[in-house]
Amino acid sequence: MAKKITIGIIYSYDENWIGGTYYIENLVNSFSLLRKALQPTVWLFNYSSLSEDQVRDRFNYQDILIINVPPYTWWRKLLVRMSRIFKFFTFFLYGRPNQLDLTFPNPYLEAHDLCKRRVYWVPDMQEAFLPELFGEVEIARRRDFHLNLIENNLPIVFSSQCALKDFENHYNKPNVMAFRLPFAVTLPMGDGALELTSLRKEFNLGGAPYFICSNQFWKHKNHTLVLEAMAILSEEFPTLIMVFTGQPRDTRNLEYYASLQDLVRELKLQKNVRFLGFIDRKAQLSLMKYAKAVVQPSLFEGWSTVVEDAKALNKEIILSDIPVHREQLSDDELFSIQWIKIHYHWP
């Protein structure tokens, strides 16, 4: 019988990059689909401020041990450094690393490197295609991290075949130890979607039909194009509403969210647009369920959670024509509308 393995999973609940959080949650929850004998024991290293109970509520997997990692204060830095010399300290910070068969996704190169088998994650290569959205320091940090993985021949997981090819082409390294690991979502709908009438009341949607765009408010998500499209559509369909959800903050472009609000006023779309901010996951998915369609206009993705949500809900989706979207959807499922074409990718 195969030996039951123990996997260390590094986890952080981060509303500023909720896609990364959902990736880990869906990965761990997918373990429950394995045969019982193959289901791993998971040590979940919780780097977030969520309590153990709050973290456990986000996972539908039984064989899981949650280890709350203390804040990265000066004394923890000291303990981490001491742990490299006196391995005894590592137990108090992370448990005994020699009990782990591997750790993933290892964004932090500190005491977790005491585990001999480490698998790393590169979500995408956005900085290579849209460098204007990154600072020089961040681009250099990512490059150094990637080169370190290549030079040490460390195993790398990519969310998509597109990301894997982008990585190999960018660094001219066609033989990296690479693995493609996309994900499908698990929907926390419980007893079903929330009732439409209550959602319309809570989010001031009235009785009009609506589309929904659920993305963080980052510039590459391309909300501007959707607003410009709404300006055209509202002339023929004056009651149509576009709903936006997501954390209203781009750390790389602090003026972006305000600029979208200015554009709404400039295009006189105050009655047609709703910015809901970061809302409860079940409410977000329920709004998707009742929408006329999901809109995903992003210029770049590693593997889009929004697309997976739409697939799981069996919803129509209007999306940008970028390679990873074609990878996520078969040609039979793809369709486009003139106003969603993105000149960055289409002639």
Side-chain angles (χ1 to χ4, degrees):
M1 190 172 77
K3 173 183 175 292
K4 190 178 182 70
I5 67 171
T6 301
I7 302 176
I9 298 287
I10 291 85
Y11 173 76
S12 177
Y13 178 81
D14 185 359
E15 292 182 358
N16 291 309
W17 186 39
I18 199 65
T21 299
Y22 290 157
Y23 182 85
I24 296 301
E25 290 175 357
N26 284 302
L27 172 66
V28 173
N29 288 334
S30 71
F31 293 158
S32 63
L33 301 176
L34 298 171
R35 288 190 293 110
K36 192 69 176 178
L38 297 178
Q39 293 179 7
T41 296
V42 172
W43 288 15
L44 194 81
F45 297 100
N46 176 30
Y47 276 81
S48 69
S49 59
L50 297 183
S51 68
E52 181 174 335
D53 288 340
Q54 288 174 313
V55 171
R56 195 172 296 279
D57 286 343
R58 302 186 67 85
F59 290 89
N60 184 29
Y61 188 66
Q62 297 301 313
D63 194 358
I64 184 170
L65 170 67
I66 298 172
I67 301 171
N68 292 315
V69 179
Y72 204 59
T73 55
W74 67 268
W75 65 265
R76 183 170 154 242
K77 292 180 184 178
L78 178 62
L79 280 178
V80 168
R81 291 181 181 180
M82 292 180 69
S83 72
R84 296 179 183 278
I85 304 172
F86 306 104
K87 303 296 178 66
F88 176 76
F89 284 98
T90 308
F91 175 80
F92 296 99
L93 292 175
Y94 308 103
R96 298 187 185 279
N98 59 2
Q99 293 180 4
L100 296 172
D101 291 288
L102 63 90
T103 57
F104 178 81
N106 297 298
Y108 314 102
L109 299 178
E110 44 177 59
H112 287 294
D113 62 6
L114 294 174
C115 179
K116 293 182 179 180
R117 296 185 181 91
R118 303 182 305 280
V119 180
Y120 295 84
W121 179 36
V122 174
D124 61 51
M125 289 293 296
Q126 185 186 146
E127 71 276 8
F129 292 85
L130 299 172
E132 66 274 14
L133 300 182
F134 296 81
E136 292 182 4
V137 173
E138 176 62 14
I139 291 176
R141 185 192 70 79
R142 294 189 180 202
R143 182 185 65 247
D144 291 345
F145 177 64
H146 295 161
L147 290 175
N148 180 274
L149 299 180
I150 293 170
E151 290 169 5
N152 291 283
N153 197 32
L154 295 170
I156 311 170
V157 164
F158 295 88
S159 302
S160 63
Q161 189 66 30
C162 291
L164 192 160
K165 288 183 177 179
D166 289 343
F167 186 91
E168 291 179 334
N169 292 338
H170 183 72
Y171 293 105
N172 194 26
K173 297 289 183 179
N175 297 312
V176 296
M177 194 188 302
F179 305 90
R180 176 181 176 269
L181 185 63
F183 68 90
V185 298
T186 52
L187 303 180
M189 301 298 277
D191 297 328
L194 300 176
E195 207 273 327
L196 177 59
T197 302
S198 62
L199 288 169
R200 286 188 176 279
K201 182 177 180 180
E202 180 179 357
F203 297 115
N204 188 29
L205 300 181
Y210 67 90
F211 292 92
I212 186 168
C213 179
S214 289
N215 276 319
Q216 302 294 78
F217 283 91
W218 297 338
K219 194 169 183 178
H220 76 276
K221 298 295 187 179
N222 208 21
H223 300 84
T224 301
L225 181 67
V226 180
L227 292 177
E228 292 171 348
M230 280 299 296
I232 298 171
L233 289 174
S234 63
E235 293 180 2
E236 186 174 354
F237 306 99
T239 63
L240 186 65
I241 290 176
M242 175 59 69
V243 173
F244 292 100
T245 70
Q247 186 68 260
R249 185 170 183 266
D250 185 347
T251 56
R252 297 175 297 184
N253 190 335
L254 297 177
E255 305 300 321
Y256 180 61
Y257 184 69
S259 71
L260 294 176
Q261 294 176 310
D262 290 341
L263 184 58
V264 167
R265 288 187 287 269
E266 178 185 333
L267 297 175
K268 297 180 173 56
L269 292 174
Q270 292 92 327
K271 295 182 180 180
N272 303 95
V273 173
R274 303 289 187 273
F275 291 113
L276 305 186
F278 189 90
I279 63 174
D280 175 75
R281 175 82 166 140
K282 188 171 182 178
Q284 175 210 6
L285 292 169
S286 298
L287 286 170
M288 282 188 178
K289 177 181 174 65
Y290 299 122
K292 290 298 180 184
V294 176
V295 179
Q296 169 56 305
S298 182
L299 293 171
F300 203 92
E301 293 289 322
W303 189 263
S304 173
T305 304
V306 172
V307 172
E308 293 304 316
D309 287 339
K311 288 164 61 177
L313 292 167
N314 197 28
K315 288 298 298 183
E316 294 83 4
I317 181 168
I318 304 167
L319 71 171
S320 51
D321 186 13
I322 57 178
V324 72
H325 284 165
R326 288 192 173 272
E327 184 178 341
Q328 285 188 260
L329 296 172
S330 69
D331 289 340
D332 291 339
E333 294 171 307
L334 285 167
F335 68 97
S336 62
I337 285 182
Q338 181 68 29
W339 57 265
I340 207 66
K341 286 187 176 180
I342 297 174
H343 68 81
Y344 185 82
H345 294 280
W346 287 8

